[in-house]
Amino acid sequence: MKRWSKWQTWFQFSIGIILVSCSPSKPKDQGVFLYNEHSGITSLDPLYARNLANIWAVQWMYEGLTRLNSEDSIVLGLADSWARDSTAKVWSLQLRKGVYFHSNPELPVGYTLNSQDVVRSFYRAKNHPFSAWILEGLDTIIAVDSHKIELYFVQPKPDLLALLSVPALSILPAPLIEQVPASFWRTNACGTGPFQLKLWQEGEKMVLPVFSQYWRLNSVQQNSHKLKGIAVQFVKELQSAKLDFLMGNLAIFQGSDPQINEELIQLAKQPNASFRVVNGDFLNTEYLGFNLKGKHPVCRSSALRKALSALLDIPKVIKEVRGGLGEPSGVAFCPATLRSGNSSNLSDSKVNLRKEAMMWLKKAGFNHPSEVPPLILHTDPAYAYFCSALIYPWVTEGFNVRLEVVERSTLKSMVAKGQVDFFRASWIADYPSALNVLGIFKSNRVPPNGPNYTFFMNDTVDAALHILETRTSGLDRELAIETIQAALVEHVPVIPLYFDAYLRFERKEYLGLKSNSLNQLDAVEVHMVDVEAP
């Protein structure tokens, strides 16, 4: 295929991996794990790893002191061991020795991980508005010696090991942090991860050869079919990317279009199918958000927001538009897997949708939906079809609601600046914790200090979040979660839609790819096998 001929030319590694552009062989035969990123990558800076495309790119090249493995357990990464005092305010971490950074002209040859790298990386993250929340309450970081650090917090930090796995706390080399401008990290990378950046032409291609000195390489990588690198193409047309996958040019295809998903699922059921289906829970909450500082009446009236919420038939939309992918969230914003107890006081029963909606509408001061001023729901192109189906019951009842589709980057900027009153958004958990999901409603995390895009401020919620931040008692945390969710039901800063699931299609020639509930990928053990052509 013509596109793969380009990839053979692109994938020329200085470590002796040369792909001949005229070769007719497949990427698998060249040891290349090629995938398509239709949404694009905007930054390689760990601080900007805030969407899945950027997170995947960052995780190939960087690591943190801990990581979330494929069993959804927090395990040690660049940290070799840890200890904490009885208050959970003082933490000590011993770093692995002999961990190499990727080569860079500004670094000494063979530069290895040391305490100063961690100290400088943590202070960099602590001083950035996108990541300051991770190390909130940090008073001091001390480099005890070349491979040991101590962190002192002003309040207990029981979830620190999980927090250290967040991509924003990936470790960069201290000398580079000191020498280069902040903008350097958007298009350049220098970490300790399993793959190193060779080439990135934005919107066209990315080439990432295996880092031969990576500390976690194992025996699987030593066979004749070992992975030699990862490559990324940026084809926006999903049908074109699907054809690449079916022809064996892409190692994986990430499901996003319901029609394509259903087609591939059916093909995978064939006895001679060349690929398999992989799916699982994805800790991503999709929701509609209201800017509570906005000008529209819906921004000032929880009753009006409840009227809109009552009319939605989310299970039907998920079934018809998403092919059943995802679990309707009811009134809950936090996935059940992160909640303790049964949250039995949070009823989402809707016996008579219209009757309930009209009741709330009258409480908001309107006798008929047509009296409510025109309302615009902003979304990006990927969710335009879903949102058009979502608003259908409102339009049918007489609400003057219309959809406005805006490019993803533009929409994110508008939402963060409070320029839109009503929007569709999602929250992908940074680590598996109710605190991380519900923490976006903390008062001090309104933009530009965080992702509280609804500008929701509530003392009760803040107090409950403080309990989640500082207490280890299961009962205390359970009650705090219920308190927060009850407040969200009462004030309706958001309308939860569904808890996401990931759907991925993998060529059978590739084995060893691992993932977790954050849909993060681990390709360290990926290797290729020969599969008979169907």
Side-chain angles (χ1 to χ4, degrees):
M1 189 175 181
K2 185 177 288 186
R3 181 176 292 112
W4 178 241
S5 295
K6 291 182 179 179
W7 274 105
Q8 292 174 318
T9 303
W10 297 338
F11 212 84
Q12 298 177 11
F13 295 158
S14 59
I15 58 175
I17 305 170
I18 302 177
L19 305 185
V20 182
S21 62
C22 61
S23 172
S25 58
K26 297 289 186 181
K28 183 266 292 186
D29 300 320
Q30 306 293 339
V32 178
F33 184 96
L34 172 65
Y35 72 94
N36 183 64
E37 188 53 78
H38 74 276
S39 60
I41 293 170
T42 59
S43 178
L44 302 182
D45 190 333
L47 298 183
Y48 292 82
R50 306 172 71 202
N51 59 58
L52 202 57
N54 286 11
I55 289 171
W56 280 12
V58 165
Q59 71 180 10
W60 301 133
M61 295 175 278
Y62 290 97
E63 296 176 289
L65 299 189
T66 64
R67 63 186 177 89
L68 184 71
N69 68 10
S70 57
E71 284 76 44
D72 285 330
S73 297
I74 296 294
V75 297
L76 292 173
L78 295 180
D80 192 41
S81 63
W82 63 273
R84 75 175 194 188
D85 71 350
S86 58
T87 68
K89 292 182 179 180
V90 181
W91 290 77
S92 299
L93 293 117
Q94 191 73 37
L95 307 181
R96 294 185 187 276
K97 294 183 179 179
V99 175
Y100 289 90
F101 277 91
H102 303 162
S103 59
N104 185 282
E106 303 301 321
L107 290 178
V109 176
Y111 184 79
T112 57
L113 176 72
N114 65 76
S115 295
Q116 287 303 319
D117 302 319
V118 178
V119 172
R120 292 305 302 264
S121 296
F122 280 12
Y123 274 126
R124 179 175 183 265
K126 186 177 184 296
N127 293 326
H128 195 281
F130 288 173
S131 51
W133 63 272
I134 306 173
L135 295 173
E136 188 174 17
L138 178 64
D139 183 42
T140 308
I141 309 174
I142 296 177
V144 178
D145 57 36
S146 64
H147 285 81
K148 183 178 181 180
I149 64 166
E150 290 182 350
L151 295 90
Y152 293 81
F153 293 89
V154 297
Q155 63 186 29
K157 207 73 171 176
D159 289 342
L160 181 64
L161 292 180
L163 287 163
L164 294 177
S165 70
V166 177
L169 291 191
S170 298
I171 306 305
L172 285 61
L176 277 186
I177 295 176
E178 296 167 355
Q179 296 172 24
V180 302
S183 59
F184 170 87
W185 299 103
R186 193 190 78 79
T187 55
N188 296 274
C190 186
T192 63
F195 304 92
Q196 55 188 331
L197 181 65
K198 176 67 176 178
L199 173 70
W200 180 28
Q201 293 183 2
E202 292 190 53
E204 294 185 29
K205 60 219 173 192
M206 182 178 286
V207 177
L208 305 163
V210 163
F211 180 41
S212 61
Q213 294 177 294
Y214 181 54
W215 64 273
R216 201 158 60 92
L217 285 179
N218 57 41
S219 58
V220 175
Q221 284 281 7
Q222 306 309 314
N223 61 37
S224 60
H225 296 294
K226 65 183 179 180
L227 185 65
K228 296 179 181 178
I230 287 177
V232 190
Q233 69 176 31
F234 300 93
V235 176
K236 292 184 179 181
E237 297 79 17
L238 289 176
Q239 285 289 350
S240 179
K242 180 198 72 174
L243 291 176
D244 275 353
F245 175 72
L246 291 175
M247 294 183 69
N249 294 329
L250 298 181
I252 62 172
F253 182 85
Q254 182 78 4
S256 58
D257 180 277
Q259 291 182 328
I260 293 178
N261 288 348
E262 184 57 32
E263 177 187 347
L264 293 178
I265 288 172
Q266 294 305 317
L267 288 174
K269 293 178 181 179
Q270 301 299 316
N272 60 352
S274 59
F275 59 91
R276 55 185 168 267
V277 181
V278 180
N279 57 56
D281 293 334
F282 178 23
L283 294 178
N284 172 38
T285 302
E286 296 287 337
Y287 67 95
L288 302 181
F290 299 94
N291 172 9
L292 301 190
K293 289 190 174 182
K295 297 179 180 180
H296 192 280
V298 76
C299 302
R300 302 187 296 272
S301 172
S302 61
L304 183 52
R305 298 193 292 271
K306 289 178 182 178
L308 291 171
S309 177
L311 283 173
L312 291 180
D313 191 349
I314 297 168
K316 180 180 179 182
V317 178
I318 291 175
K319 181 180 179 180
E320 294 181 353
V321 179
R322 288 181 53 83
L325 188 64
E327 177 190 354
S329 52
V331 297
F333 191 85
C334 183
T337 54
L338 302 182
R339 303 196 303 263
S340 302
N342 56 20
S343 299
S344 57
N345 62 323
L346 296 176
S347 171
D348 60 351
S349 175
K350 296 180 179 180
V351 178
N352 189 321
L353 300 178
R354 189 178 187 283
K355 182 177 179 181
E356 181 181 350
M358 294 307 109
M359 177 192 72
W360 286 116
L361 186 66
K362 291 196 177 201
K363 286 190 176 182
F366 301 96
N367 293 314
H368 191 272
S370 61
E371 297 177 6
V372 179
L375 180 63
I376 300 173
L377 172 60
H378 290 80
T379 187
D380 61 66
Y383 288 87
Y385 185 41
F386 180 87
C387 288
S388 64
L390 200 66
I391 69 174
Y392 180 76
W394 297 337
V395 176
T396 301
E397 283 296 331
F399 284 97
N400 188 351
V401 181
R402 69 178 177 87
L403 206 60
E404 185 161 318
V405 181
V406 183
E407 284 299 323
R408 176 181 292 186
S409 58
T410 303
L411 179 59
K412 289 184 70 173
S413 175
M414 293 170 66
V415 169
K417 294 176 181 178
Q419 295 174 339
V420 297
D421 291 344
F422 190 30
F423 55 90
R424 187 221 62 86
S426 60
W427 177 252
I428 301 175
D430 298 288
Y431 62 98
S433 163
L435 171 61
N436 182 244
V437 175
L438 298 173
I440 69 170
F441 297 104
K442 197 171 184 180
S443 296
N444 66 358
R445 295 190 68 191
V446 298
N449 298 318
N452 186 350
Y453 301 127
T454 62
F455 295 86
F456 177 60
M457 300 184 185
N458 184 279
D459 291 342
T460 300
V461 169
D462 287 344
L465 286 171
H466 182 73
I467 291 173
L468 288 181
E469 290 171 339
T470 60
R471 305 278 182 87
T472 57
S473 165
L475 179 59
D476 288 347
R477 295 172 72 90
E478 179 182 334
L479 292 174
I481 292 170
E482 291 194 1
T483 297
I484 296 167
Q485 297 227 131
L488 296 179
V489 171
E490 175 62 27
H491 298 284
V492 202
V494 297
I495 299 177
L497 299 175
Y498 61 91
F499 303 127
D500 212 350
Y502 67 80
L503 181 65
R504 187 170 63 249
F505 304 94
E506 300 178 357
R507 298 287 306 186
K508 290 182 178 179
E509 301 96 307
Y510 295 85
L511 295 177
L513 182 66
K514 297 181 179 180
S515 59
N516 55 36
S517 62
L518 299 184
N519 202 8
Q520 297 170 336
L521 300 184
D522 183 350
V524 171
E525 295 184 8
V526 167
H527 58 287
M528 283 65 67
V529 296
D530 294 324
V531 176
E532 275 190 39

